[in-house]
Amino acid sequence: MLKVEKRSGKIVPFDPEKIKAAVNGAFSDVNGTECSDNSVFVHIIRNINAYAEFHDTIGVEQIQDIVEKSLMEKGYYNVAKAYIKYRYEHELARQKHNDSELMDMIQGDNEYWSTENSNKNSKWVTTQRDYMAGIVSTDLARNYIFPKDAVAAHDAGIIHIHDMDYAAQHITNCSLINLEDILQNGTVVNGVRIDKPHRLLTAMTIATQVVAAVASSQFGGCTISLTHLAPFVRMSYDRYFKKYKSWGFDDKKSKEFAQRDTEKEVSDAVQTLNYQLNSLSTTNGQSPFVSVCMYLGETEKYKSELAMLIEEVLCQRIQGMKNRTGQYVTVAFPKLLYVLEEDNIHEDSKYWYLTELAAKCTAKRMVPDYISEKVMKQTKVDANGEGHCFPCMGCRSFLSVWPQDSNKYYGRFNIGVVTINLVDAALSSGGDEKKFWRLMEERTELCHEVQKVRIKRLENTKAEVAPILWCDGAFARLKPEDTLYSLIHGGYCTASLGFAGLYECVKYMMGVSHTSPKGREFGLKVMQFLDDKCDQWKKEDNVAHSVYGSPIESTTYTFAKALHKRFGEIPSITDRDYITNSYHVPVFEKIDPFSKLALESEFQKLSTGGAISYVETSNLQNNIPAVLEVIKFIYDNIMYAELNTKSDYCQECGYSGEVQLLYNDKIHKHYYKCPNCGNEDTSKMNIARRVCG
C-alpha cells in the first residue's frame, strides 16, 4: 500500500478521500459546486498509482503536482488554476507570517520579543541574530519536523513543545560538563589542542572557554563542578612551594609564602570565572547559562582545596559585580548550587562556616540554590540500593541513575522537554474523572510522539556536528563519524515529560487545593500517572524518560490565555493571567515556608527528572539566622530548593533594596516601581527575580 510522507516527516497511509476533498474545494471556488465528474478522481488516482509502481512513498508536494497535472489533462484549466492559487496563497501566508514576525523583532515593535528571555537583550544584534534563526527553525519544526497533531495541540495550549526555535538542528538540551575529563586529558576548542594545565588560573580560564563552547553547541543550561578544579589548587601550591624552596627558604617559610600566593591565585581565578562567564557571549546572544556545583562530598583527596574555592566563590558573589555605573549589583550567572551534607549543616560541622557564607549570599544575591545530599540519596537510588547525589543540569533538570555505571553523571545530558497542561486536561474533562484519565493518556502519548521524533533525529546524528561535546570530552570521546545512538539509548541521556498547573487541575477536579488532604491525594495520583508513563516509555524506547517540573515561566501566561479562550473565566482556575508552575503551592495561598517545603517535597519525589521548590521572602540581609533555619529544614526534608530574596538597585536615584512589583488593573499588566524615586523604567533598574507563576 502506498505511503505518504507528510511535511513533518511522518509516514501515513495514502487516503484518496483527502484528494477528493481538496479537488471539490477547488471546483467549488470556480463553479460554486463540487465536482460531478467522477472521471476526474479516477484519472488522478490512476496517475498517483502509476507513480506508486516505482516508489514506496510519495510526498505531499508530489501529490499536489500530480493533482494539478491531472486536472489540466482533463481540461479543467480554471479549476487547476484555483488549486495552484490555493497552494500558493497558503505558502505565501506561511512566509508572510515569518517575515512579519522577523520585522517586528528587529524593529522592536513586539513586546513579546522584548520580554521573551530575561537573560537576553533583544536590542542587541547578537540576540536578534539568534531570534531570527529561531523564527526560521520554529517554522521548520512546525511544518516539517514535529507531528501536525502535536503542533496543533501546542498552538491550542494543550501541550507545550519546548525550544522549537532550536529543533531544526540536531542539537541537545541541558548537561553536566565532564570538566574533569577535559582538564585531565586535554581537549580541542575551535580546532586548537589544549593540553592539561599545570596551575589553577590556567585551568579556570580553560573551564570558562569550554563552558562558552558547550553553551554554543546546545540550547539548555550546563553545570560544572568546582571539584574538578580543586586538584589544580594543589598544583599551584606545589609550584609556589618549590619556587620558594629553590630561593633558599626553609620548609616553614616556603609553606607560609606558598599558602599566601595560592590564596591570591584562588581569588584571581574566581574573579576570572566571574568576569569570563559574565562577559563572554555565546552564539545565542547571551552569557552562558551555567551553574557551578559546590559539593564537598565529591572528593576526599582535595577537600581542603575545594573548600578554598567554595569560600572564595561565595565571598565574591556576596560582593556582586559592577554595573555600567560602577554599582555592585546581583548578576544572573553563574548560578550556584550548594550541596548540604553532614560536613556543613550543623553548627559544629567542620565546614559550617561555608554554610553561613552561603546564607549571607542567599540573603544578598538570591543564590546559591540548595541540594540536600540526605534527601537526594533517598530519592536517587540504584539497583543495588545505593543512593547518589549530583547537581542539576543548569536549571532544575536532573539525570536518572544510569544502570550501566551509577557513578557516572558528568558528561550526560537531556534531549528536550514537552509539557502537558494539566489544567486543560481537567477542564476538558468537565470534572469527569474517567474522561480526565483518558485525556491524560491521549495527551501524554502526544508528548511521547514529539520525543520520539527528537530521539530518531539524534540517534542517527554524527559526533562531528559538535566536536566539543561528542569528540573532545565535554560529553564523550567518540570518533567524528560515530553516531550518537549509544548515548541516546541505554539510559545515558534523559527525555523530559513536563507538567504545569497541578494546583488548578486539582482545584477544578476536587474543589480543593492540593494543600488539603483530599487534594493532595488526587495530586499525587496525577504525579504517579506521569511517572508510570515515563516508566512505560523507558521500556519502549530504551531511553530514560522522566517527569520534569517545567520552568515554563512565560508559558504560564500563554497557557492561561489559551485556557481563558477555550473555557472562559472560571473562578480560582482561569481568572488570573497565569497558571501555577509545576506542583508549586500558588503564591496567593497563605502558608509558612516550612509547611510549603514539606508539602512540595512529596510531589518533588515523583518529579525525578527535575524540580525545584521556592520560598518567597522579603529582604533578609539583617536576618541571617532565619535563612539558616530554612536551609537546615531543606536538608532534612526536600531534595532541591531555594529562597527568592530581594536585592535590587535603581540607577536613577541609587536606591538599593526591594523594588516594588505592582499591577495595573486597567491594562492588566505587572510593572516595577522604585519606592524611592518612582522610576518605572526597567532598563534603568537592576532587578533579579525568579518568575515561577
Side-chain angles (χ1 to χ4, degrees), residues 428-610:
S428 296
S429 75
D432 182 332
E433 282 197 50
K434 286 186 178 179
K435 187 175 181 181
F436 172 77
W437 294 117
R438 187 175 74 248
L439 288 169
M440 288 289 288
E441 178 71 28
E442 293 171 0
R443 293 176 180 188
T444 51
E445 284 300 331
L446 205 56
C447 294
H448 187 206
E449 288 299 314
V450 173
Q451 295 298 52
K452 286 196 289 187
V453 170
R454 284 177 167 147
I455 291 166
K456 190 68 177 176
R457 284 167 60 79
L458 286 169
E459 68 184 14
N460 296 316
T461 298
K462 291 188 176 181
E464 63 188 0
V465 301
I468 186 66
L469 304 185
W470 314 113
C471 304
D472 299 315
F475 296 176
R477 296 279 184 178
L478 300 176
K479 296 177 181 177
E481 64 274 14
D482 290 342
T483 69
L484 306 183
Y485 191 95
S486 63
L487 301 181
I488 300 301
H489 295 279
Y492 192 82
C493 74
T494 57
S496 299
L497 171 62
F499 66 97
L502 183 66
Y503 162 77
E504 288 85 359
C505 170
V506 172
K507 181 76 172 178
Y508 181 78
M509 296 299 294
M510 297 288 107
V512 292
S513 167
H514 65 322
T515 57
S516 70
K518 182 181 177 182
R520 171 184 162 278
E521 181 182 0
F522 185 77
L524 290 173
K525 273 187 184 179
V526 174
M527 295 294 298
Q528 188 62 59
F529 174 88
L530 298 175
D531 194 54
D532 290 343
K533 291 303 296 183
C534 288
D535 285 341
Q536 174 193 326
W537 300 340
K538 285 178 191 176
K539 295 171 185 174
E540 292 178 14
D541 303 335
N542 191 23
V543 172
H545 293 270
S546 54
V547 183
Y548 179 61
S550 311
I552 58 173
E553 297 172 354
S554 63
T555 308
T556 62
Y557 299 94
T558 304
F559 275 173
K561 286 173 65 178
L563 290 166
H564 197 274
K565 181 179 179 181
R566 281 163 60 81
F567 303 102
E569 186 166 308
I570 302 171
S572 301
I573 309 296
T574 64
D575 56 352
R576 297 181 299 277
D577 59 354
Y578 62 91
I579 66 170
T580 307
N581 208 339
S582 63
Y583 56 75
H584 293 160
V585 175
V587 292
F588 50 79
E589 281 211 6
K590 293 183 178 179
I591 187 171
D592 68 86
F594 304 104
S595 299
K596 181 180 189 291
L597 291 174
L599 175 81
E600 291 186 350
S601 69
E602 296 185 64
F603 295 96
Q604 196 178 92
K605 289 171 185 174
L606 288 167
S607 189
T608 56

Side-chain angles (χ1 to χ4, degrees), residues 597-647:
L597 291 174
L599 175 81
E600 291 186 350
S601 69
E602 296 185 64
F603 295 96
Q604 196 178 92
K605 289 171 185 174
L606 288 167
S607 189
T608 56
I612 189 166
S613 288
Y614 305 91
V615 172
E616 299 289 341
T617 77
S618 56
N619 191 337
L620 290 178
Q621 293 181 61
N622 296 320
N623 196 358
I624 302 305
V627 179
L628 287 167
E629 285 304 308
V630 176
I631 290 172
K632 289 178 182 178
F633 191 84
I634 290 170
Y635 175 68
D636 285 323
N637 292 276
I638 192 164
M639 185 180 79
Y640 185 33
E642 58 192 26
L643 285 79
N644 284 349
T645 55
K646 314 293 191 300
S647 177

Side-chain angles (χ1 to χ4, degrees), residues 318-321 323 325-330 363-365 618-622 645-660 673-679 684-689:
I318 290 169
Q319 182 182 39
M321 295 189 73
N323 65 3
T325 63
Q327 175 73 23
Y328 284 101
V329 297
T330 301
K364 179 74 173 174
R365 301 299 179 195
S618 56
N619 191 337
L620 290 178
Q621 293 181 61
N622 296 320
T645 55
K646 314 293 191 300
S647 177
D648 309 320
Y649 178 73
C650 176
Q651 297 173 15
E652 284 284 280
C653 67
Y655 169 78
S656 181
E658 181 177 346
V659 169
Q660 296 171 313
K673 182 177 181 178
C674 174
N676 185 53
C677 71
N679 173 33
K684 296 179 181 179
M685 299 176 185
N686 293 91
I687 299 172
R689 292 287 188 279

